[in-house]
Amino acid sequence: LFPQGQLLAKSWSSLFGGQSGAALRGPIYSFNGRNVLTDPLWPHRLAWHGSTPRGGHARRWDCQGWRSSGTAEGMATALGEGRLLAGHRHNCSTQ
């Protein structure tokens, strides 16, 4: 049985607005029920978003068209940083 109804942000706009978005709250689960913040299966704990800090499309860094043999980079945020859109470029091949 997986927990339900846990608050990640107070509103949709608070999740992405302001200074790089809201601070994330509580655990985040994968589709198979693993806690992404503590499970060793998720060594980098990144939220891939391909956005600028203001929520726009980061066209050069969105991993669109990525191929496993490529060196493309995309915008992602370490979930422990607490700000969803305060991203940095990461190689699109990163797990």
Side-chain angles (χ1 to χ4, degrees):
L1 187 65
F2 302 120
Q4 295 179 357
Q6 293 179 333
L7 183 67
L8 289 178
K10 291 181 181 182
S11 69
W12 180 259
S13 60
S14 73
L15 185 60
F16 297 106
Q19 292 292 328
S20 300
L24 298 175
R25 305 167 186 237
I28 298 173
Y29 294 97
S30 66
F31 288 109
N32 63 355
R34 295 176 179 264
N35 183 339
V36 174
L37 299 176
T38 60
D39 194 291
L41 183 63
W42 300 83
H44 298 289
R45 295 173 177 85
L46 297 172
W48 292 88
H49 51 75
S51 297
T52 66
R54 297 182 127 186
H57 182 195
R59 296 186 199 289
R60 292 181 58 197
W61 299 294
D62 64 2
C63 292
Q64 188 166 339
W66 168 82
R67 301 292 181 265
S68 60
S69 61
T71 58
E73 291 182 316
M75 296 300 286
T77 298
L79 293 170
E81 286 184 15
R83 296 289 177 185
L84 188 57
L85 296 182
H88 303 284
R89 291 183 306 200
H90 292 273
N91 185 292
C92 294
S93 297
T94 302
Q95 294 181 351

